[in-house]
């Protein structure tokens, strides 16, 4: 039995159908009533659970041999996932597959990269079988400013011509499904990216072609960009982390591309154009 946490989120909701296709026995943590229905629609067993209520994790992990560990980025993340790893060890789980982030490091200026480094170290030392997946930025994050893109035909950013190996969350899910259902990944860390390194102006150009409209990438100074994020209600830790991340992309430090998706699935990772085509309607009014 595989326990999937984060099952109703961006990666988890793509993972459940792949595991179902593979005939895996899956239990998934439901954080809400709506989540239960989404989980059961994929033929998985839904179990109520909350990372902040350890007893629910104990119940959810009982009888599971593998766990997919994912929780949302937050200052509480490291504490939550460290505890979940300990509970997995006590429950006799054989293998934990943890979703981390590319660039996870204790001295990163990005909060989420420091929290993932803490979680990854804890997992490596926990005495439980494990595999760590470190994805690049999700293409799906580009859906967040879609209202502005639709209203203004403008996409504001601060990455200049810096490129990044953005990955479709469906490909992260495909790699996770492979690792969860095959052997030979013990102790491995996989850096998972899309097939190409692409800049925001290039992404905007591809979106323009796909929707037959004009999406202009507008580069703004870091201070103004951060003020916009704060104005949109993002907490300080997230605004600061994103500014640090986009600064790193701008400086060319996030352009790495790997072939882990192809190694795991036997086909190349989905290119940005395919993501744009799959989400044409979301951007279409631009
Ligand atoms: N976005 C990126 O570009 C990027 C890049 C690399 C790595 N990552 C990492 O990816 C992870 C986020 O993945 P995602 O985007 O798939 O997540 P997501 O869409 O935010 O989904 C989070 C999932 O966790 C559940 N959840 C939230 N709070 C919970 C709690 N207290 N107890 C139990 N479950 C809870 C949510 O359920 P409900 O919806 O029902 O609350 C949902 O299923 C983070 O670790 C992040 O650091 C992100």
């Amino acid at each position: 039995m595989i326990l999937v946490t984060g099952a109703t989120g961006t990666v988890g909701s793509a993972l459940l159908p792949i595991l179902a296709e593979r005939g895996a026995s899956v239990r998934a943590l439901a954080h809400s009533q709506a989540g239960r229905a989404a989980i059961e629609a994929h033929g998985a067993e839904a179990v109520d659970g909350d990372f902040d209520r350890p007893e629910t994790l104990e119940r959810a992990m009982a009888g599971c041999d593998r766990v997919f560990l994912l929780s949302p980025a937050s200052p509480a993340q490291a504490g939550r996932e460290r505890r979940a790893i300990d509970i997995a060890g006590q429950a006799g789980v054989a293998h934990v597959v943890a979703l981390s982030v590319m660039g996870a490091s204790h001295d990163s200026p990005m909060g989420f990269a420091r929290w993932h480094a803490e979680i990854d170290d804890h997992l490596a030392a926990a005495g439980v079988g494990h595999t760590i997946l470190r994805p690049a930025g999700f293409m799906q994050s580009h859906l967040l400013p879609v209202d502005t893109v639709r209203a203004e035909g403008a996409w504001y950013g601060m990455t200049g011509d810096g490129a990044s190996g953005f990955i479709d969350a469906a490909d992260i899910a495909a790699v996770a499904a492979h690792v969860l259902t095959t052997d030979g990944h013990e102790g491995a860390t996989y850096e998972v990216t899309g097939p190409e390194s692409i800049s925001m102006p290039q992404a905007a150009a591809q979106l323009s072609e796909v929707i037959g409209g004009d999406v202009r990438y507008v580069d703004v100074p870091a201070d103004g960009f951060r003020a916009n994020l704060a104005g949109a209600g993002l907490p300080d830790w997230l605004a600061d982390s994103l500014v640090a991340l986009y600064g790193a992309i701008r400086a060319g430090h996030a352009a790495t591309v790997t072939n882990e998706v192809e190694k795991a699935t036997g086909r190349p990772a989905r290119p940005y154009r395919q993501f744009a085509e799959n989400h044409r309607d979301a951007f279409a009014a631009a």
Side-chain angles (χ1 to χ4, degrees):
M1 174 74 80
I2 299 170
L3 176 71
V4 175
T5 66
T8 55
T10 308
V11 175
S13 61
L15 175 58
L16 290 186
I18 307 175
L19 291 174
E21 249 174 56
R22 291 183 168 222
S25 295
V26 176
R27 183 182 290 165
L29 205 66
H31 186 227
S32 66
Q33 278 309 309
R36 286 193 75 88
I39 289 164
E40 286 165 354
H42 292 296
E45 174 191 343
V47 55
D48 292 335
D50 189 325
F51 279 103
D52 294 329
R53 290 190 291 132
E55 71 283 4
T56 65
L57 297 181
E58 286 163 15
R59 273 200 299 274
M61 288 187 194
C64 290
D65 53 347
R66 298 196 165 202
V67 170
F68 179 66
L69 181 63
L70 181 156
S71 73
S74 121
Q77 184 172 20
R80 285 173 170 170
E81 293 197 31
R82 287 172 59 127
R83 191 165 52 228
I85 290 163
D86 293 344
I87 293 170
Q90 290 152 14
V93 169
H95 198 124
V96 173
V97 179
L99 190 88
S100 180
V101 66
M102 198 173 234
S105 152
H106 293 286
D107 56 7
S108 172
M110 296 166 257
F112 45 75
R114 294 194 301 277
W115 303 325
H116 277 300
E118 193 181 328
I119 296 161
D120 295 355
D121 282 1
H122 191 77
L123 181 55
V128 180
H130 62 276
T131 307
I132 295 170
L133 306 182
R134 290 186 167 171
F138 299 178
M139 292 178 187
Q140 276 73 8
S141 301
H142 295 182
L143 293 167
L144 296 176
V146 72
D147 287 345
T148 315
V149 173
R150 287 169 70 112
E152 300 180 24
W155 193 357
Y156 297 97
M158 51 161 283
T159 49
D161 290 321
S164 184
F166 298 114
I167 180 163
D168 193 312
D171 280 335
I172 303 170
V175 174
H178 174 72
V179 173
L180 285 162
T181 56
T182 59
D183 294 328
H185 310 289
E186 176 61 43
T189 296
Y190 298 127
E191 296 202 324
V192 196
T193 76
E196 65 206 334
S197 194
I198 183 169
S199 70
M200 296 301 279
Q202 289 168 330
Q206 291 196 17
L207 276 175
S208 298
E209 283 170 26
V210 166
I211 67 173
D214 187 22
V215 180
R216 285 174 300 116
Y217 172 74
V218 181
D219 205 58
V220 296
D223 284 356
F225 190 77
R226 194 198 179 291
N228 286 348
L229 295 177
L234 271 64
D236 281 348
W237 69 263
L238 183 53
D240 290 338
S241 295
L242 291 177
V243 167
L245 172 64
Y246 297 153
I249 293 174
R250 185 180 189 92
H253 297 154
T256 304
V257 168
T258 72
N259 65 347
E260 295 298 346
V261 173
E262 185 157 10
K263 283 203 281 187
T265 64
R267 50 133 185 103
R270 293 165 172 86
Y272 194 84
R273 179 173 289 273
Q274 189 175 342
F275 166 79
E277 284 167 357
N278 290 344
H279 297 279
R280 178 188 282 118
D281 291 348
F283 293 101

